[in-house]
Amino acid sequence: MKIVSQTWNQHVVKKENKTLVLDQIREHAPISRASIAQQTGLNKGTVSSLVSELMNEKLISESGTGQSSGGRRPVMLLFNQQAGFTISIDLGVKNILGVLCDLKGNILEGKKIILEDNQVEIVLERLYGLINELIAAAPDAPYGIVGIGIGVPGVISNEGEVLLAPNLDWKNVQLKEILADKYQLPIVVENEANAGAIGEKTYGAGQKSNDLVYVSVGTGIGVGLILDGELYKGIRGFSGELGHMTIERDGLKCRCGNTGCWELYASENALLSKAKTDQFKSIHTIVKAAEKNDKEAISLLNDMGKYLGIGITNILHIFNPEQVILGNAMIEAEKFVLPAILEYIDAHTIGFNRDDVKISGAMLKEYSTVLGIASVNIELFFKENQATLELLS
Amino acid sequence: MKIVSQTWNQHVVKKENKTLVLDQIREHAPISRASIAQQTGLNKGTVSSLVSELMNEKLISESGTGQSSGGRRPVMLLFNQQAGFTISIDLGVKNILGVLCDLKGNILEGKKIILEDNQVEIVLERLYGLINELIAAAPDAPYGIVGIGIGVPGVISNEGEVLLAPNLDWKNVQLKEILADKYQLPIVVENEANAGAIGEKTYGAGQKSNDLVYVSVGTGIGVGLILDGELYKGIRGFSGELGHMTIERDGLKCRCGNTGCWELYASENALLSKAKTDQFKSIHTIVKAAEKNDKEAISLLNDMGKYLGIGITNILHIFNPEQVILGNAMIEAEKFVLPAILEYIDAHTIGFNRDDVKISGAMLKEYSTVLGIASVNIELFFKENQATLELLS
DNA sequence: CTAAGTTTGTCTAGTGACTAAACAAAGATT
DNA sequence: AATCTTTGTTTAGTCACTAGACAAACTTAG
C-alpha cells in the first residue's frame, strides 16, 4: 500500500513550532522571547510556553537581561550548546581524524592518528581506541554523547554499509551495524564528499548557498551535492560519482570500467603519475616545489587546474549551482590551482551559468568532512529528541 | 532579514489535510469517505467535513453507491476533472503544438501548426490564434480556463523571460509578462526539457520514480531533472544544460564557447551533419532508410546511440537516478538507438549505478512537453485555489 | 424471513494548541 | 514624578481535530 504523506494535527503544529523557536535561538542567540515572536510570527504567549518547555529540556538557558530599546529590558536566551556532544571521524587512507564537537559544531578535542594498514579489523581497533578516547574527553552533559559518525572515501549504501572503498580495499563492510552494536548510539556513516558538502554548507564557505557542489579532490575525485538545500543522494545513495564522468571519449581506461574518467586527469593520483621526476611523492611536495619556483611543479599544478576546470565547467552547466567548493588534498594547492581553474571556466562556460556562481576552496580545510558528519548527527539528535520528548510529556 | 519558514497553526493544518483528501480522490477515485479516512489516518468526521467543502467548491462529486463489503454500501466520490481546463503549448522550431486539457491531464483538443518564420512578432500572432481557438473549444466549467503554459527550447529565467533560444533566434523575450498581460490568467513559461521531465513524471513512464532524468534529444540536447520528486532548476533556473557537458576535451568547438560538448556528437543536428549523403534531411528520413536496411542510416543511428551512451553513463554516475527517459525528436529512432545506448552503458557504467536504473523512451512521445506544462498549471491552480477559497470561507 | 453482525457516514462532546488582548513588571523619557 | 515603551505572563476564546455514540443500510446465518 502506498504510504500517505503525514496527516496534520495540533501535535504536529506544536512540534514544528517548537523546532522553529529552537532554530531561532540556535541561529540568533542571544535573543529575547519578544524578538522570537516577531521573527516567527508566533504569538508572544505561544513563544513563552514553548521556551519554557525547551528550558525544562535543558536545550536552552536564560542569560542576563539585554539592552533596553526604550522599555523593559529583555531576558536573553542562549542555546545550550553543551547539552550534548558528538564524535565524528574522517577515515582516510593514510590517517584517521577524529573530533569531539558540541551541538554547535565547535571542536573541543581533535586527534589524528596514522594508519599503516587498511585491513578492516586493524582499522576498527584503531577506530575504537580513538572513539573511546574522545568519549572520555567529553564533559558531563544532560544528553551525553548523542551520536557517532564517520566519513568514508567510498560507496555507501543508504543502510550505512560500505559497499566499496577502493583506496582502502574495503568491500561490503557493515560499518553502521558494527558501530551501533558496539556503542548503542545513533550512528551515521556517510561518503566523505557528501559529508564535506554538508560541512561547508553548515559551518563553512557555503552557509548562504542553497545549491552547492563540493568537489573533493584527493586520491580520486568525489562530489557532494547540496540541491535545494538538501543533500542529494540518488535512489540508492550512489550519486556524486563525478570522478567517473567521461571528459574524454576514447580516453584512458579506468579501473571502474569507464573510459576518460575525470579523476584520471584531475586527481592527486593523476597529478603524481604525470610527474616526470620521482621526487614528487604527494601533492604536498609538489606545492613545496612550486613555492620555490620549480617549473615542472608549477606546470603540473597549472595542468591540474585546467583539467579540474573541464569538470567544473560541466558542473556549472549541469547544476547551475550557487557555489562550487573545492576541498580535500588539493586545498593545499589552492593558490596555484584555483587561478588556472577560473581561467578555464571563464573561457568555456555559458555566460548565464557562469555569472552568479562563486568558486572557492573549502573554508574548513581538512575539517570539512568531520564537521559535516557532526552536523548530520546533531540534526538527527534534534529530530529524534523532539520525538522522544513528545512521548515524555 | 532572513525569511523564516512558515509558522504552523490550525489554518495550515486544515489546508494541508484538505489537500491530502483531495489528492486521495484525484489518485484513487472512485473512493469512499471511509476509505479516505483509513488511508490518510484522519478521523471519519474530519474527512466528511472536508469532503463536504470540496463538494461546495465543485472540485469533487458523489457518484452512486459502490460495492458493499459486508455492510452499508459506500458513497463513491469522484474527482471533477472538468472543473476547469488548461491550455498548454509546445513551441518548436518548425511547429507549434497546442492542447486543451482537463484537470486530470486528458487531452480534449489538440492542434499542431507549422511555423515558417521564427520572428517573435509572427510567432506571437500564430500563438494567439492557437490559444484563442483552444479557449473557444473549452466546455463551460466552474473555474473556466485556469491557466496557460508554454514550453520553449531555450534558457528561461525564473521570472519567465526567454533569455536565449538559439534555435529560434530569440533573445530576452518577456514571454510570461506578454501572455499574462494579454490573457489575465496564470501563465507558466518553462524550458522544454524541464516540462518534458514533469510530463513523463506525472503522466508518463516516470510516474513511480522519484529521481528521474529526462533527456530531450532534438536539434540540440536539453535535460530536465526531477530530483527527490521535484524539478531541480538551479539557482537561476539554468540547470540541465547537459548538452554542453564536455565529453571530449580538446574536442569540437561549440558556439556556446565550450569544447567537446555532448550535443555536438549526439543530437539530431550532429547526426545530420555526419551523414555523407544529402538525402538525409531529418531524423525521420534516416529512420525510414534504416527501416529499409540502408547501411549508412543504420550505422549513423548506431553511432548516435553510442554517443548518447557516453552522456547517459555520465548521468548515471552523477545522479544515480531511478530512471532515464529519452524524448523529443529521437523518440522516432528509439528502436535503432536504444540498443546501442544500452550496450554502451552496460560496458561503461559502475555496477552500483547501473543496477537499478530503468532506461527507456518517452511514453508520451511528442506530448511529454505539453502535458508537463499542463501538469504545472494544474498544480498551480490547486495551490492558488486553496489560498483563494480560504479567503472566501 | 428474521435476527445478528458489519460497514458507512454523521453528529456531539471534548481536547489541545493557538491567538488576541489585558495586565504586571521594569525600564526610558520628559 | 508622571507618562510612555517594551517585555513577558495570564486569561478567555477560537478552531480543527479526535473519540465514540448512533442511525442507516447492507450481508449473512439459520
Side-chain angles (χ1 to χ4, degrees):
Chain A
M1 183 150 310
K2 199 193 161 190
I3 291 160
V4 163
S5 65
Q6 191 172 17
T7 58
W8 302 81
N9 52 34
Q10 301 110 293
H11 227 139
V12 178
V13 167
K14 179 165 180 183
K15 193 181 128 189
E16 293 291 337
N17 282 337
K18 200 162 157 182
T19 302
L20 197 61
V21 169
L22 180 55
D23 285 350
Q24 280 290 316
I25 300 171
R26 285 174 66 193
E27 281 173 41
H28 303 299
I31 187 174
S32 69
R33 290 169 176 81
S35 178
I36 293 172
Q38 210 190 348
Q39 293 269 326
T40 59
L42 289 168
N43 184 277
K44 286 192 294 170
T46 307
V47 171
S48 270
S49 129
L50 294 174
V51 159
S52 126
E53 288 187 23
L54 289 169
M55 295 226 289
N56 284 336
E57 292 162 16
K58 311 280 181 210
L59 293 177
I60 62 173
S61 58
E62 286 180 335
S63 75
T65 51
Q67 272 295 312
S68 161
S69 59
R72 173 175 164 181
R73 276 155 55 184
V75 177
M76 302 315 262
L77 300 167
L78 296 179
F79 173 52
N80 184 8
Q81 58 206 60
Q82 304 234 347
F85 298 94
T86 64
I87 288 167
S88 312
I89 308 286
D90 180 359
L91 178 57
V93 176
K94 294 171 199 153
N95 48 51
I96 307 181
L97 174 64
V99 296
L100 173 74
C101 289
D102 66 20
L103 295 179
K104 231 179 152 181
N106 295 310
I107 297 176
L108 303 194
E109 191 79 36
K111 191 173 181 190
K112 197 173 190 173
I113 59 178
I114 305 297
L115 268 187
E116 288 90 11
D117 192 325
N118 287 325
Q119 231 184 299
V120 176
E121 290 72 26
I122 295 175
V123 171
L124 280 178
E125 282 310 314
R126 307 290 314 262
L127 211 52
Y128 296 154
L130 182 56
I131 291 173
N132 292 337
E133 218 174 298
L134 291 168
I135 289 177
D140 265 352
Y143 295 93
I145 303 292
V146 303
I148 300 175
I150 177 161
V152 182
V155 180
I156 317 291
S157 80
N158 284 332
E159 290 72 38
E161 179 180 355
V162 179
L163 296 175
L164 184 70
N167 296 321
L168 293 170
D169 204 20
W170 281 21
K171 221 173 151 176
N172 299 320
V173 179
Q174 300 266 12
L175 193 52
K176 181 171 173 175
E177 200 182 313
I178 293 169
L179 291 173
D181 281 353
K182 184 158 176 80
Y183 290 103
Q184 305 288 323
L185 281 170
I187 304 292
V188 165
V189 178
E190 188 53 87
N191 170 274
E192 158 269 328
N194 284 349
I198 295 172
E200 289 292 327
K201 156 85 179 145
T202 316
Y203 304 116
Q207 292 178 54
K208 287 177 195 151
S209 294
N210 232 21
D211 297 313
L212 77 85
V213 177
Y214 174 83
V215 182
S216 163
V217 185
T219 309
I221 294 181
V223 170
L225 303 167
I226 306 280
L227 307 178
D228 285 337
E230 300 282 337
L231 181 69
Y232 174 77
K233 300 185 65 167
I235 183 67
R236 295 276 174 271
F238 310 148
S239 72
E241 289 289 346
L242 275 87
H244 299 287
M245 163 174 74
T246 298
I247 61 162
E248 176 157 57
R249 67 185 183 98
D250 303 325
L252 302 173
K253 268 269 168 207
C254 183
R255 64 176 166 184
C256 81
N258 202 3
T259 51
C261 292
W262 187 24
E263 71 173 37
L264 300 179
Y265 302 87
S267 66
E268 183 181 8
N269 255 4
L271 182 74
L272 298 179
S273 71
K274 267 183 279 186
K276 282 174 196 144
T277 40
D278 283 350
Q279 70 189 84
F280 295 145
K281 291 260 159 64
S282 73
I283 208 165
H284 182 74
T285 54
I286 298 184
V287 170
K288 285 287 161 209
E291 276 169 351
K292 286 177 188 148
N293 261 317
D294 178 296
K295 275 189 188 161
E296 194 200 345
I298 290 174
S299 150
L300 280 170
L301 292 173
N302 205 54
D303 275 5
M304 185 187 199
K306 183 190 151 189
Y307 289 123
L308 282 172
I310 296 175
I312 294 172
T313 296
N314 284 356
I315 287 171
L316 301 186
H317 289 160
I318 294 168
F319 295 104
N320 179 217
E322 197 165 351
Q323 205 168 4
V324 175
I325 299 174
L326 296 148
N328 206 340
M330 73 71 67
I331 198 71
E332 234 184 316
E334 181 179 351
K335 190 169 59 174
F336 296 98
V337 174
L338 196 53
I341 293 176
L342 294 177
E343 189 187 340
Y344 187 92
I345 290 172
D346 287 337
H348 291 85
T349 307
I350 299 173
F352 297 125
N353 294 58
R354 175 69 186 96
D355 280 347
D356 299 297
V357 66
K358 207 169 115 192
I359 295 162
S360 65
M363 192 173 123
L364 306 174
K365 308 287 176 189
E366 61 176 329
Y367 294 102
S368 305
T369 294
V370 275
L371 288 176
I373 292 286
S375 168
V376 174
N377 259 135
I378 291 166
E379 295 310 316
L380 195 66
F381 165 67
F382 283 118
K383 257 207 281 189
E384 303 257 316
N385 197 244
Q386 293 289 346
T388 315
L389 292 166
E390 226 177 289
L391 293 172
L392 297 178
S393 61
Chain B
M1 188 149 305
K2 198 191 159 189
I3 290 161
V4 163
S5 65
Q6 192 172 15
T7 59
W8 302 81
N9 52 35
Q10 300 109 295
H11 226 141
V12 178
V13 168
K14 179 165 182 184
K15 194 181 128 191
E16 293 291 337
N17 281 336
K18 199 162 159 183
T19 303
L20 197 61
V21 169
L22 181 57
D23 285 350
Q24 280 290 315
I25 300 172
R26 286 174 66 192
E27 281 174 42
H28 303 300
I31 186 174
S32 69
R33 290 170 176 81
S35 180
I36 294 172
Q38 211 192 346
Q39 293 270 325
T40 58
L42 289 168
N43 184 275
K44 286 191 293 172
T46 308
V47 171
S48 271
S49 129
L50 294 174
V51 159
S52 128
E53 288 186 25
L54 289 169
M55 294 228 287
N56 284 337
E57 292 162 15
K58 310 279 181 212
L59 293 177
I60 63 172
S61 58
E62 287 181 336
S63 75
T65 51
Q67 272 294 311
S68 161
S69 60
R72 172 174 166 181
R73 277 157 53 188
V75 178
M76 301 314 262
L77 300 168
L78 297 178
F79 173 51
N80 184 9
Q81 57 205 61
Q82 302 234 348
F85 298 95
T86 63
I87 288 168
S88 313
I89 309 286
D90 181 359
L91 177 57
V93 176
K94 293 168 197 157
N95 47 50
I96 307 182
L97 174 65
V99 297
L100 174 73
C101 289
D102 67 17
L103 295 179
K104 231 181 150 179
N106 296 309
I107 296 176
L108 303 194
E109 190 80 33
K111 193 171 179 189
K112 197 173 189 172
I113 59 179
I114 306 295
L115 268 187
E116 289 92 9
D117 192 325
N118 286 324
Q119 232 185 298
V120 177
E121 289 74 24
I122 295 175
V123 171
L124 280 178
E125 281 311 315
R126 306 290 315 261
L127 210 54
Y128 296 154
L130 182 57
I131 291 173
N132 292 337
E133 220 175 295
L134 291 168
I135 289 177
D140 265 353
Y143 295 94
I145 303 291
V146 303
I148 300 175
I150 180 161
V152 181
V155 180
I156 318 292
S157 79
N158 284 332
E159 289 74 36
E161 179 180 354
V162 179
L163 296 175
L164 184 69
N167 296 319
L168 293 170
D169 204 20
W170 282 20
K171 220 173 149 177
N172 298 321
V173 179
Q174 300 266 10
L175 193 51
K176 180 169 174 176
E177 199 181 315
I178 292 169
L179 291 174
D181 281 354
K182 183 158 176 81
Y183 290 102
Q184 305 289 323
L185 282 170
I187 304 292
V188 166
V189 178
E190 189 52 87
N191 169 273
E192 158 270 329
N194 284 350
I198 296 171
E200 290 292 328
K201 156 87 179 146
T202 315
Y203 304 115
Q207 292 177 54
K208 287 175 195 152
S209 294
N210 231 21
D211 297 314
L212 77 85
V213 177
Y214 173 84
V215 182
S216 165
V217 185
T219 309
I221 293 181
V223 169
L225 303 167
I226 307 278
L227 307 179
D228 285 338
E230 301 280 336
L231 180 69
Y232 174 77
K233 301 185 65 167
I235 183 69
R236 296 274 173 272
F238 310 149
S239 74
E241 289 290 346
L242 275 87
H244 299 287
M245 163 174 74
T246 298
I247 62 162
E248 177 157 56
R249 69 185 182 98
D250 303 325
L252 302 173
K253 267 268 166 207
C254 182
R255 63 176 167 185
C256 81
N258 201 2
T259 51
C261 292
W262 188 24
E263 71 173 38
L264 300 179
Y265 302 87
S267 66
E268 184 181 9
N269 255 4
L271 182 72
L272 299 178
S273 72
K274 265 183 279 185
K276 281 175 195 142
T277 41
D278 283 350
Q279 68 189 83
F280 294 146
K281 292 261 160 62
S282 74
I283 206 165
H284 182 74
T285 54
I286 298 184
V287 171
K288 285 286 162 212
E291 276 169 354
K292 286 177 189 151
N293 261 317
D294 179 296
K295 275 190 189 160
E296 194 199 346
I298 290 174
S299 148
L300 280 169
L301 291 173
N302 205 55
D303 274 6
M304 186 187 198
K306 181 190 153 189
Y307 289 123
L308 282 172
I310 297 175
I312 294 172
T313 296
N314 283 357
I315 287 171
L316 300 186
H317 289 160
I318 295 168
F319 295 104
N320 179 219
E322 198 165 353
Q323 205 168 1
V324 175
I325 300 174
L326 295 148
N328 206 339
M330 74 70 65
I331 197 72
E332 235 183 314
E334 181 180 350
K335 191 170 56 174
F336 296 98
V337 174
L338 195 55
I341 292 176
L342 293 178
E343 191 187 338
Y344 187 91
I345 289 172
D346 287 337
H348 291 84
T349 306
I350 299 173
F352 297 125
N353 293 59
R354 175 69 185 96
D355 281 345
D356 300 296
V357 68
K358 208 169 114 193
I359 296 163
S360 65
M363 192 173 122
L364 306 175
K365 308 287 175 189
E366 60 177 329
Y367 294 102
S368 304
T369 295
V370 275
L371 287 177
I373 293 285
S375 168
V376 174
N377 260 135
I378 291 166
E379 294 311 316
L380 195 65
F381 165 68
F382 284 117
K383 255 206 282 188
E384 304 257 316
N385 197 245
Q386 293 289 350
T388 316
L389 293 165
E390 226 177 289
L391 294 173
L392 297 177
S393 60

